[in-house]
Amino acid sequence: MAKNDPYAALRFREFNIFLMLRFAMVFAWSMQFVVIEWQVYSITKNALSLGIIGLMEVIPAVSLALFAGHIVDQREKRGLLFKCLFGFSFVSIGLFLLTWPRVTEHLSTSLTLYAIYFLVFCGGIVRAFLGPTIFSLFALIVPKKVYPNAATWSSSVWQMGAVVGPAAGGFTIHLIGVHWSMCVIFGFSLFALICLSQIKKKPIMNPKIGEPVMQSLKEGILFVRNSKAVLGALTLDMIAVLFGGAVALLPIYAQDILKVGPQGFGILRAAPAVGALITMFTSAYFPLYKKAGIKLLAAVFGFGVSIIVFGLSTTFWLSVLALFMSGVTDGISMIIRQTILQLKTPDHMRGRVASVNSMFVGSSNELGAFESGLTAKLMGTVTAVVFGGSMTLITVLATGIISPKFRKLDLRKDLEEHEKSE
């Protein structure tokens, strides 16, 4: 079923509920980030302020990541996810108030800006726990033999939320303003909570409950270091996302370079996710686990080329196309990476491995946003984007030359072993 049925994972009821929950959460989070980006740049008109948004989220996300992984492996996943969703709802309510004219008219611009940064920082704390918890819960909902198919659908839903969320952010800013856009975001966080209530509690798979924190963290780090496939995939994607973070500069392109306003901004922001979404739905019929290493290298190389084209473009629809292609290649990369992690990670270590993943890849989005904002400030927006794309190409070429074993990575054997074990 795992090999021939493109809907294998969808035949499990709780997995469908999980997909709705994930869509609601990604939609809310991505829409919120876009709305806050727009609001902060409107206040400051400073590229560096966009980078600071990413930095405020990435500091707690990275600092707490390993500890969060330890906690996730020690706790029941459904209850922990409830706490994460409540934390996100708190942040959304705070941002709703900070974009309300009746509140902001009593606050200085600087105080409003610092308060937004503080709430983004709180969101980073939530995120440190959210990623490992969802990754671990995923593995307890479907059998291992359908992990590649389930990873494809889960990534597809993630991208669907990333498509609709940013686009909705751009259009709702235009139609109802920043303040009421935050109200929509809060509504989706409540919907995620309702979905989670329909999933049963899951057993704790870790046989070492009560294990000392440092020993637990050391075990997780050593596993990632010694697994060449996992380490190679995470490192490659981290560098690519770190230097290819042109998305953080989209408000500048929309307002100052392409001059397309909030509606054009929404289209630009959604274009990468649309490309990734199409790739992911297609991959349900054409799995990517065969010759995974060379496919991952090719995908990240294509991503770098797309970023360079976007950086140099002064035509709106060419920019949209370049971002769309960056999403197509990024979608391939995401599916392969998630399949590697799910197949290579033991059940009792999923929280810790997911935490390392969040440090490598997830947090590199925000570090990439800070890097893009800083380089744009120092060398100009266009030069910064082209520089980032070029560094991505160099990284791919270096990885391909240095690690021939990674080029030959194929996941078919791992999948067959899981099928035999079940």
Side-chain angles (χ1 to χ4, degrees):
M1 180 171 66
K3 289 182 179 179
N4 303 319
D5 186 359
Y7 307 104
L10 300 183
R11 305 192 188 283
F12 297 88
R13 177 181 175 274
E14 282 196 336
F15 184 67
N16 288 287
I17 296 172
F18 173 83
L19 292 182
M20 290 190 290
L21 181 159
R22 193 164 199 209
F23 170 80
M25 199 64 233
V26 174
F27 175 95
W29 202 294
S30 59
M31 180 178 175
Q32 179 170 283
F33 199 81
V34 167
V35 172
I36 292 307
E37 278 185 327
W38 185 268
Q39 179 71 357
V40 168
Y41 187 69
S42 297
I43 292 173
T44 64
K45 292 295 182 180
N46 188 336
L48 187 59
S49 65
L50 297 175
I52 293 175
I53 296 174
L55 189 64
M56 287 298 100
E57 185 170 326
V58 80
I59 288 174
V62 171
S63 300
L64 296 174
L66 292 177
F67 176 73
H70 167 76
I71 295 298
V72 171
D73 281 337
Q74 297 277 321
R75 303 287 176 85
E76 193 277 317
K77 311 302 181 288
R78 177 177 172 269
L80 194 56
L81 187 52
F82 262 118
K83 295 177 181 178
C84 291
L85 294 180
F86 274 119
F88 176 79
S89 298
F90 166 79
V91 172
S92 296
I93 291 174
L95 292 172
F96 173 77
L97 294 175
L98 283 174
T99 55
W100 193 5
R102 290 187 181 182
V103 173
T104 55
E105 67 183 6
H106 301 294
L107 303 175
S108 66
T109 300
S110 297
L111 183 58
T112 301
L113 187 63
Y114 293 147
I116 290 174
Y117 287 151
F118 170 75
L119 288 173
V120 171
F121 184 90
C122 292
I125 296 175
V126 173
R127 180 178 157 181
F129 291 86
L130 184 63
T133 305
I134 288 180
F135 181 82
S136 301
L137 182 62
F138 168 98
L140 299 173
I141 290 176
V142 295
K144 292 181 180 179
K145 63 183 179 181
V146 298
Y147 276 1
N149 182 257
T152 297
W153 285 109
S154 180
S155 297
S156 298
V157 166
W158 188 95
Q159 283 293 346
M160 190 181 298
V163 169
V164 182
F171 288 116
T172 57
I173 289 171
H174 175 70
L175 295 174
I176 58 177
V178 170
H179 175 58
W180 292 109
S181 295
M182 291 304 309
C183 186
V184 173
I185 292 166
F186 177 68
F188 272 83
S189 69
L190 293 181
F191 177 73
L193 284 167
I194 294 171
C195 290
L196 183 57
S197 68
Q198 303 301 307
I199 296 177
K200 296 179 181 179
K201 289 186 176 181
K202 303 300 176 184
I204 301 174
M205 305 301 291
N206 190 357
K208 300 179 180 179
I209 300 300
E211 181 181 20
V213 175
M214 296 308 298
Q215 182 177 335
S216 172
L217 299 184
K218 181 180 178 181
E219 184 182 4
I221 293 173
L222 287 177
F223 172 81
V224 173
R225 190 190 71 178
N226 295 330
S227 176
K228 302 303 181 184
V230 172
L231 182 61
L234 296 186
T235 303
L236 180 65
D237 222 41
M238 178 191 73
I239 298 299
V241 175
L242 177 63
F243 288 107
V247 171
L249 302 178
L250 287 184
I252 301 175
Y253 272 86
Q255 295 187 38
D256 300 335
I257 297 176
L258 300 174
K259 301 184 186 302
V260 291
Q263 290 178 303
F265 173 64
I267 295 173
L268 289 169
R269 193 63 173 79
V274 172
L277 184 61
I278 292 174
T279 296
M280 289 175 178
F281 279 126
T282 303
S283 68
Y285 297 88
F286 304 98
L288 296 171
Y289 53 83
K290 299 177 182 179
K291 298 182 179 179
I294 194 68
K295 288 178 180 177
L296 182 56
L297 288 168
V300 179
F301 188 88
F303 176 80
V305 172
S306 300
I307 293 300
I308 292 173
V309 172
F310 168 75
L312 295 173
S313 172
T314 56
T315 304
F316 175 66
W317 290 111
L318 177 59
S319 299
V320 171
L321 177 61
L323 290 173
F324 171 83
M325 292 307 301
S326 76
V328 169
T329 51
D330 189 44
I332 295 173
S333 170
M334 181 182 296
I335 292 172
I336 295 175
R337 187 179 73 250
Q338 287 300 313
T339 303
I340 290 172
L341 290 177
Q342 290 292 352
L343 290 176
K344 297 285 188 181
T345 305
D347 288 333
H348 67 282
M349 296 186 64
R350 292 188 180 278
R352 283 163 287 178
V353 172
S355 293
V356 176
N357 175 50
S358 70
M359 293 178 66
F360 270 73
V361 179
S363 298
S364 62
N365 286 292
E366 283 66 43
L367 285 175
F370 179 70
E371 180 272 337
S372 295
L374 180 60
T375 53
K377 184 73 173 179
L378 295 176
M379 55 176 82
T381 302
V382 173
T383 305
V385 174
V386 173
F387 168 77
S390 300
M391 291 300 297
T392 301
L393 299 185
I394 293 171
T395 300
V396 174
L397 294 174
T399 303
I401 294 171
I402 294 172
S403 182
K405 186 176 180 180
F406 186 79
R407 291 201 311 267
K408 299 175 183 178
L409 177 65
D410 195 305
L411 300 174
R412 281 176 289 187
K413 184 178 178 180
D414 296 273
L415 182 58
E416 290 169 359
E417 289 177 355
H418 282 306
E419 289 179 336
K420 289 178 181 178
S421 68
E422 297 182 356

